[in-house]
Amino acid sequence: PPSQANSAAAPPAAVKTQRNGPTWPARISLLAIPLLAIALSRRRGPRVFTKTELAQYVDTSRGLKVAICGQVFDVSKGAEFYAKGAGYGFFAGRGASL
């Protein structure tokens, strides 16, 4: 029958054609990957100092830092107390905990 031949040659109007490539939500997520990588690389966590790194912060030119119970504090504003020769100058660039 001729009606069956025509229907086989042309797809019915109800059938949707498929596109090649990802759909729009997938495209958005693919674009988000580099942005997420940048955001994670800029994420700041607690700074960990070794004893030798902390020992560099004993004068006012680099800054004064003191570690107490594992947390490092910038004491540069109190240079009159924490600089070399001052009352607490011994603690600058060191761990002050017992």
Side-chain angles (χ1 to χ4, degrees):
S3 63
Q4 289 177 353
N6 287 343
S7 65
V15 175
K16 294 182 181 179
T17 58
Q18 291 184 342
R19 296 181 190 167
N20 292 337
T23 59
W24 70 269
R27 282 189 213 136
I28 291 175
S29 64
L30 290 175
L31 292 174
I33 291 171
L35 297 175
L36 181 62
I38 292 170
L40 290 175
S41 68
R42 292 182 182 171
R43 185 174 62 177
R44 303 263 179 185
R47 168 78 163 89
V48 178
F49 287 87
T50 63
K51 287 184 179 184
T52 55
E53 287 175 328
L54 188 60
Q56 296 174 3
Y57 295 96
V58 293
D59 57 16
T60 54
S61 64
R62 286 212 57 172
L64 298 166
K65 296 196 186 297
V66 173
I68 301 172
C69 294
Q71 189 163 359
V72 178
F73 296 93
D74 184 1
V75 293
S76 298
K77 289 185 179 180
E80 65 268 12
F81 303 109
Y82 292 98
K84 285 185 180 180
Y88 297 107
F90 176 79
F91 293 115
R94 300 178 187 211
S97 305
L98 295 175

